[in-house]
């Protein structure tokens, strides 16, 4: 889920109605949880999460969306239960990403 949404976010702006429809479809899927949360930098976000449990270890992948624009603003991977062969205490945050600023430029030779 994270890879798919990340690719979609990098491939260009999507119509707001399309983003809203995609979130409604995800919210209706039984293996996906949708909630509100706060990002690591304190911004409000919609969290779309999917978990998988294998051998007593649950890994949760979450994509965070801006509630106003619907754009992906971050992701998080967390581990619960057994740490498997990882040398970490669980629960553990495995990875985090957050987009701090988003802008559009007229060409790929410019920076915001």
């Amino acid at each position: 889920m994270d890879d798919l949404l990340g690719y979609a976010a990098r491939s260009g702006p999507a119509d707001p109605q399309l983003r809203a429809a995609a979130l409604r479809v995800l919210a209706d899927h039984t293996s996906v949880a949708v909630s509100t949360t706060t990002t690591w930098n304190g911004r409000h976000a919609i969290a779309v999460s999917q978990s998988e449990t294998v051998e007593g270890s649950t890994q949760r992948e979450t994509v965070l969306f801006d509630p106003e624009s619907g754009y992906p603003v971050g992701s998080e991977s967390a581990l619960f239960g057994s740490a498997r062969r990882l040398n970490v205490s669980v629960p553990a945050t495995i990875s985090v990403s957050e987009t701090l600023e988003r802008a559009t430029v007229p060409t790929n030779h410019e920076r915001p």
Side-chain angles (χ1 to χ4, degrees):
M1 178 177 73
D2 184 45
D3 291 340
L4 176 66
L5 292 171
Y7 173 77
R10 290 188 302 275
S11 59
D15 184 88
Q17 290 83 8
L18 178 60
R19 290 192 303 268
L23 288 172
R24 284 192 299 274
V25 167
L26 287 171
D28 286 340
H29 199 282
T30 57
S31 70
V32 174
V34 178
S35 61
T36 57
T37 191
T38 304
T39 68
W40 288 77
N41 281 314
R43 295 184 298 168
H44 295 288
I46 297 170
V48 179
S49 303
Q50 188 172 33
S51 298
E52 180 180 23
T53 301
V54 176
E55 299 176 10
S57 178
T58 300
Q59 185 162 347
R60 182 183 67 206
E61 300 294 332
T62 302
V63 180
L64 304 172
F65 294 91
D66 181 298
E68 298 292 322
S69 68
Y71 280 115
V73 294
S75 64
E76 178 183 77
S77 179
L79 186 65
F80 304 91
S82 169
R84 295 184 235 164
R85 294 187 181 129
L86 298 174
N87 188 22
V88 297
S89 298
V90 288
T93 300
I94 304 300
S95 67
V96 172
S97 70
E98 184 170 351
T99 301
L100 301 178
E101 185 175 335
R102 183 179 184 94
T104 304
V105 293
T107 71
N108 61 355
H109 302 291
E110 298 180 41
R111 295 185 66 135

